[in-house]
Amino acid sequence: MDSAAPVVLTWDWPHRLWHWTFASCIGVSLYTGLTADGDVMDLHIASGISVIGLLLFRLGWALWGTDYVRIRQYQTSATAVWQHLRGRPRRNFAHSAPAAAMALAMFGVVMVQAVSGLFSSDDILTDGPYARLLSSRGVDLATAIHTRLFWIVLALVGVHVVAVGWYATRSDPIALSMLHGRQRVELPAITRHRWPHAAATMFGAATLIWLAARWI
């Protein structure tokens, strides 16, 4: 963190609300999935579908949200991550190279995990809402992915929590930036939160989920 840089607003309210809602749904999904209790499987499926809806919203928000949540901000590479960890100053982006890599990895892995759950089955009590659309071999493959990939989700969550703690020890309270939206960076502050865009994006994501539910 550059202590000489100004503290500016970089994260809009829709992005911050999305972040904490997404984290909550991931927590519910992991908890209900790991308990292996048939009584909570309805909640597990509901949270998984909510995760897909949130990912659809985030995809839309990456296309036309405020400046620092757009896809062009997520530029990273193995070299950039290594240089950042060696103490190279943050580049002229709201996300550091490791943060961009984490965000992209989390998006991809969680999307595969959630979608595979739609087609999986425990062969006892619970079938995913679209399991009937696949052959038994397809369901077995989706189930294998869904029952293994969550370990990667857990690992990513763990790395994220450790990274937040590491930044805190360096007087860079990055976790708080998702509460108040501000960072100490050499970037111009955002001036609006684009609520109409956020409402339209949320409506579009909800509509896609509703249409998909109609096909069950």
Side-chain angles (χ1 to χ4, degrees), residues 1 84 90 96 159-177 180 183:
M1 181 181 66
H84 179 90
R90 183 176 295 181
S96 65
V159 170
H160 180 61
V161 171
V162 170
V164 167
W166 182 77
Y167 278 112
T169 65
R170 297 169 61 87
S171 300
D172 189 355
I174 192 170
L176 295 179
S177 70
H180 51 59
Q183 295 188 85

Side-chain angles (χ1 to χ4, degrees), residues 7 10 23-24 77 79 97 109 112 121 135 148-149 157-158 161 167 189:
V7 176
T10 56
S24 299
S77 67
T79 300
V109 171
V112 173
S121 172
S135 65
R148 290 168 174 79
L149 198 63
V157 171
V161 171
Y167 278 112

Side-chain angles (χ1 to χ4, degrees), residues 93-124:
F93 293 99
H95 287 283
S96 65
M102 171 61 71
L104 293 172
M106 183 69 78
F107 186 97
V109 171
V110 171
M111 178 61 84
V112 173
Q113 174 70 3
V115 171
S116 65
L118 298 176
F119 300 92
S120 62
S121 172
D122 63 7
D123 292 324
I124 302 174

